[in-house]
Amino acid sequence: MRKLFIIPTCFLLMIGCYGNEKSIEPLSTESFLIIAHRGASTYAPEHTILAYEIAQQADADYIEVDLQMTKDGELVAMHDEKVDRTTDGKGFVKEYTLDELKLLNAGRWFNNNYPSLANSEYKYLNIPTLDEIFSYFGDSVNYHIEMKSPGIYEGMEEKLVALIKKYKLIYVDEEFPKIVIESFDGRSLLKVHELEPKLPLIQLFSFKEEAALSIQDYKRLNTYASGIGVNISSVDKDFIQEVKLNGLHILLYSISSEIEMKQAINLKANGAYTNNPEMGIRVRRLLEQ
Ligand code: G3P
Ligand code: CA
């Protein structure tokens, strides 16, 4: 049995009264959120415009975009620090200029790895920049954007916030924030919070065993984060209840099967990242009936 850590309400109120620059943007409580992990990455090469389009067509609540940064400071959608797994190139993203990176093919690997899902269109895909993604989708989708390895990319946070402002994607007083920023790197999230407190933030955790946070952790998280994202294998109902009682949302990653999706919804998490948003929407609809 877990011990429930609950920060007294008066402490949370103190944080809330600390000042506008420390106010935390709330997240949607409307329904269980389906976040398309790396786009609809079950069906198309991850982090390509096509993968995001399939997620949009499936009515995902959010598309998730992982960010890396090129040698010449361009934010690009890619999960790994190296291009090896998802392109025909080799080496670190940070060692490529954008022009060099654009020459790589970002779809053929998928056709080779998943012949039953292969599609001739995938042979011509490249790595999109965040600027291209915002320009293409505008405000027609909601975005969960993860800063990957921000410690190795100087100025990543400033570039990200500037791009979000360029496309006017900070929506306040909406039930559904247009953009949510996430990272495993708390220092980087704090930096974003200082740059733009209106952006809701998710602190990611990867727990090897049972998920656990201390009172100190909750106090710290409540100074900048709207919620946390945690690997589903580490949580149970008590932990999820504890996180919510401490004023944070909890999202679970990464779910691929219907069984796990049902589990995440029944655990009363606030949402889940899934490679198959069509499945997520279908299971959510089934359980809501
Ligand atoms: O962003 C949540 C989840 O995507 C974190 O895991 O490794 O898939 O980015 P990863
Ligand atoms: Ca991610």
Side-chain angles (χ1 to χ4, degrees):
M1 185 68 180
R2 287 167 191 269
K3 270 191 211 159
L4 286 191
F5 286 129
I6 304 167
I7 303 174
T9 312
C10 56
F11 181 79
L12 294 174
L13 286 175
M14 271 165 57
I15 291 169
C17 295
Y18 184 71
N20 282 342
E21 74 283 7
K22 287 288 176 197
S23 72
I24 308 295
E25 283 299 314
L27 294 171
S28 171
T29 49
E30 277 286 285
S31 70
F32 184 88
L33 295 173
I34 302 295
I35 304 160
H37 186 238
R38 312 183 195 179
S41 51
T42 291
Y43 295 112
E46 67 186 53
H47 292 313
T48 58
I49 295 287
L50 262 178
Y52 302 140
E53 267 184 330
I54 299 173
Q56 182 182 32
Q57 282 154 16
D59 264 342
D61 297 308
Y62 282 89
I63 60 168
E64 193 230 7
V65 181
D66 290 317
L67 287 185
Q68 304 282 346
M69 199 161 101
T70 63
K71 193 175 170 178
D72 47 351
E74 195 74 34
L75 297 176
V76 293
M78 177 158 288
H79 178 272
D80 302 357
E81 285 176 23
K82 288 176 116 178
V83 300
D84 302 41
R85 182 176 61 85
T86 56
T87 76
D88 52 356
K90 282 200 181 314
F92 288 94
V93 175
K94 67 177 183 186
E95 286 165 0
Y96 282 80
T97 64
L98 180 61
D99 285 348
E100 289 164 349
L101 206 68
K102 280 286 185 187
L103 296 175
L104 303 181
N105 184 287
R108 281 204 197 101
W109 69 274
F110 185 90
N111 286 351
N112 294 338
N113 287 11
Y114 307 104
S116 64
L117 296 166
N119 181 324
S120 57
E121 278 187 82
Y122 299 166
K123 285 195 278 189
Y124 307 102
L125 300 176
N126 64 20
I127 300 166
T129 65
L130 186 61
D131 200 321
E132 287 166 347
I133 294 167
F134 284 165
S135 167
Y136 190 82
F137 290 99
D139 65 359
S140 68
V141 296
N142 302 313
Y143 304 89
H144 253 257
I145 298 182
E146 180 181 350
M147 294 181 293
K148 283 282 183 205
S149 321
I152 65 166
Y153 299 124
E154 206 184 326
M156 185 183 224
E157 297 85 359
E158 285 85 352
K159 282 176 191 286
L160 174 57
V161 172
L163 210 48
I164 291 168
K165 287 185 174 168
K166 173 180 162 190
Y167 284 91
K168 300 187 170 42
L169 290 170
I170 300 173
Y171 286 28
V172 288
D173 302 328
E174 296 277 328
E175 184 61 35
F176 239 68
K178 183 66 38 200
I179 298 223
V180 178
I181 306 295
E182 57 190 46
S183 187
F184 285 99
D185 187 324
R187 271 184 302 184
S188 185
L189 288 176
L190 262 173
K191 203 167 166 186
V192 171
H193 187 63
E194 278 156 18
L195 289 166
E196 183 42 83
K198 291 192 180 76
L199 284 168
L201 305 176
I202 295 288
Q203 174 71 59
L204 297 173
F205 292 97
S206 174
F207 292 105
K208 287 210 163 53
E209 293 170 4
E210 195 179 73
L213 292 169
S214 65
I215 293 172
Q216 286 308 318
D217 291 331
Y218 283 117
K219 280 186 186 170
R220 184 177 46 80
L221 286 163
N222 270 296
T223 63
Y224 64 91
S226 302
I228 63 172
V230 185
N231 47 319
I232 186 169
S233 55
S234 69
V235 302
D236 61 14
K237 220 167 190 160
D238 285 346
F239 180 73
I240 288 174
Q241 190 194 6
E242 173 189 300
V243 172
K244 289 172 148 187
L245 284 169
N246 281 290
L248 296 163
H249 273 221
I250 176 160
L251 306 170
L252 303 177
Y253 70 86
S254 292
I255 287 169
S256 41
S257 69
E258 290 194 16
I259 291 173
E260 273 183 333
M261 188 55 76
K262 283 180 187 157
Q263 186 194 347
I265 295 172
N266 288 331
L267 281 169
K268 301 207 181 308
N270 296 103
Y273 301 83
T274 175
N275 298 344
N276 188 348
E278 180 275 324
M279 175 276 288
I281 300 283
R282 183 162 34 82
V283 171
R284 180 177 72 184
R285 200 174 294 134
L286 264 176
L287 295 191
E288 277 172 358
Q289 279 170 2

